[in-house]
């Protein structure tokens, strides 16, 4: 009968380390999986993600009856690039803001609003207001973006009548509320979720100045050679040249050169 050995059992250092490493790897893997699931869940639930420099996104306003092409897309798309601090953009809004709303509501064209930041000062108003505009646009789920358009014109009105210095983040949030939008806007404004995008948007879009207005990707005229704004009828005529006459939308008849 074999006798039991009195020698103590050996401590297998390599085996123990292997087991420990396995436990650590399993634990880390589980942690990563939990984090990933939580992150995906947050994105799906919040629907919010910080925009990056180089992205070019618009807030599109289009009536449900917008005239469409064969591919089912709006036949005419006006792209408007603005900086809320830009004096010429304020003048453009005064001259054509109501006309753009008529164009949208009539279904003649979709209007893509691009808020850029190229005139920042110490207050960072250009960036903050552009970020806020995208926050409001994302929260306004209506096709014609009525609340966004109220906010958009409201910012220009405030700047013109009271000065940009009155529009801190709290005031921008309140203006959004008055325009009919709250939701995640306050959090989005505080986080500056669109800051990087609006700071790089002009360069990414190939815009050298504001306002810039394009129709189906091509620059269109809104002022004469002396810098005077053209008439609203002349402006609208550029749209009806693409889509034809639109009921309720008056446009001047162009004469052949």
């Amino acid at each position: 009968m074999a006798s039991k050995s009195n020698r103590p059992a050996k401590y297998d250092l390599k085996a123990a380390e292997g087991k420990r490493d396995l436990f650590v790897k399993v634990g880390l893997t589980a942690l990563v999986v939990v984090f990933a699931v939580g992150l995906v869940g947050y994105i799906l639930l919040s629907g919010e993600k910080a925009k990056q420099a180089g992205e070019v996104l618009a807030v599109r306003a289009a009536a449900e009856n917008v005239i469409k092409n064969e591919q089912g897309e709006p036949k005419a798309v006006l792209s408007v690039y603005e900086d809320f601090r830009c004096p010429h953009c304020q003048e453009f809004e005064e001259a054509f803001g109501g006309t753009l709303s008529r164009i949208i509501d009539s279904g003649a064209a979709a209007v893509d609003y691009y808020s850029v930041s190229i005139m920042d000062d110490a207050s960072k108003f250009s960036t903050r207001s552009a970020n806020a505009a995208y926050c409001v646009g994302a929260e306004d789920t209506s096709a014609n973006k009525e609340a966004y358009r109220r906010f958009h014109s409201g910012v220009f009105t405030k700047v013109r009548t009271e000065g940009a210095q009155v529009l801190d983040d709290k005031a921008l949030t309140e203006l959004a509320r008055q325009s009919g939008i709250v939701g995640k806007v306050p959090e989005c404004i505080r986080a500056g979720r669109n800051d990087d995008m609006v700071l790089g948007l002009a360069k990414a879009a190939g815009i050298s100045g504001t306002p810039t207005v394009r129709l189906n990707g091509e620059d269109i005229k809104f002022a004469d050679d002396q810098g005077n704004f053209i008439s609203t009828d002349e402006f609208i005529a550029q749209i009806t040249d693409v889509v034809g006459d639109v009921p309720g939308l008056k446009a001047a008849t162009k004469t052949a050169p």
Side-chain angles (χ1 to χ4, degrees), residues 9-251:
K10 289 183 179 180
Y11 180 73
D12 191 335
L13 182 60
K14 290 183 178 180
E17 288 181 344
K19 290 180 180 179
R20 183 186 62 194
D21 289 346
L22 178 61
F23 291 147
V24 169
K25 289 177 181 178
V26 170
L28 288 175
T29 300
L31 182 61
V32 169
V33 170
V34 169
F35 175 77
V37 170
L39 179 60
V40 170
Y42 170 78
I43 293 173
L44 290 176
L45 289 174
S46 69
E48 298 294 341
K49 183 180 179 182
K51 305 299 187 299
Q52 303 300 314
E55 290 187 71
V56 180
L57 300 177
V59 176
R60 171 165 291 185
E64 292 184 358
N65 65 333
V66 65
I67 298 171
K68 297 180 179 180
N69 58 24
E70 294 178 354
Q71 289 73 44
E73 297 296 326
K75 192 173 183 179
V77 177
L78 274 172
S79 300
V80 182
Y81 300 82
E82 305 164 305
D83 185 319
F84 283 109
R85 195 175 184 84
C86 162
H88 297 304
C89 296
Q90 295 171 32
E91 293 168 359
F92 177 85
E93 172 65 18
E94 285 185 72
F96 295 109
T99 300
L100 291 178
S101 285
R102 285 171 54 205
I103 289 170
I104 294 166
D105 294 336
S106 70
V111 175
D112 284 353
Y113 291 94
Y114 295 88
S115 298
V116 306
S117 173
I118 58 176
M119 297 186 68
D120 255 344
D121 60 4
S123 72
K124 301 294 183 184
F125 174 72
S126 290
T127 297
R128 292 188 300 100
S129 56
N131 167 63
Y134 279 105
C135 292
V136 172
E139 196 68 23
D140 184 354
T141 58
S142 65
N144 60 6
K145 300 291 183 183
E146 285 189 8
Y148 168 84
R149 284 190 276 158
R150 286 193 291 270
F151 176 84
H152 173 272
S153 63
V155 173
F156 277 122
T157 299
K158 281 281 189 181
V159 172
R160 184 179 71 253
T161 58
E162 302 178 43
Q165 66 274 8
V166 305
L167 284 171
D168 57 14
D169 286 354
K170 182 178 179 181
L172 288 167
T173 300
E174 174 60 18
L175 188 56
R177 186 192 67 78
Q178 293 174 3
S179 301
I181 288 290
V182 182
K184 298 170 186 173
V185 169
E187 175 192 350
C188 180
I189 289 176
R190 283 195 303 270
R193 192 161 286 126
N194 306 289
D195 285 1
D196 289 343
M197 180 183 71
V198 301
L199 282 165
L201 199 152
K203 181 179 179 181
I207 300 302
S208 59
T210 54
T212 293
V213 185
R214 292 171 173 170
L215 175 59
N216 292 344
E218 300 293 332
D219 289 354
I220 66 168
K221 185 177 181 180
F222 58 86
D224 61 23
D225 295 338
Q226 285 72 47
N228 301 311
F229 289 123
I230 62 176
S231 70
T232 55
D233 280 352
E234 290 176 296
F235 187 86
I236 290 172
Q238 297 177 93
I239 310 298
T240 56
D241 278 354
V242 175
V243 300
D245 290 335
V246 179
L249 186 65
K250 181 182 177 183

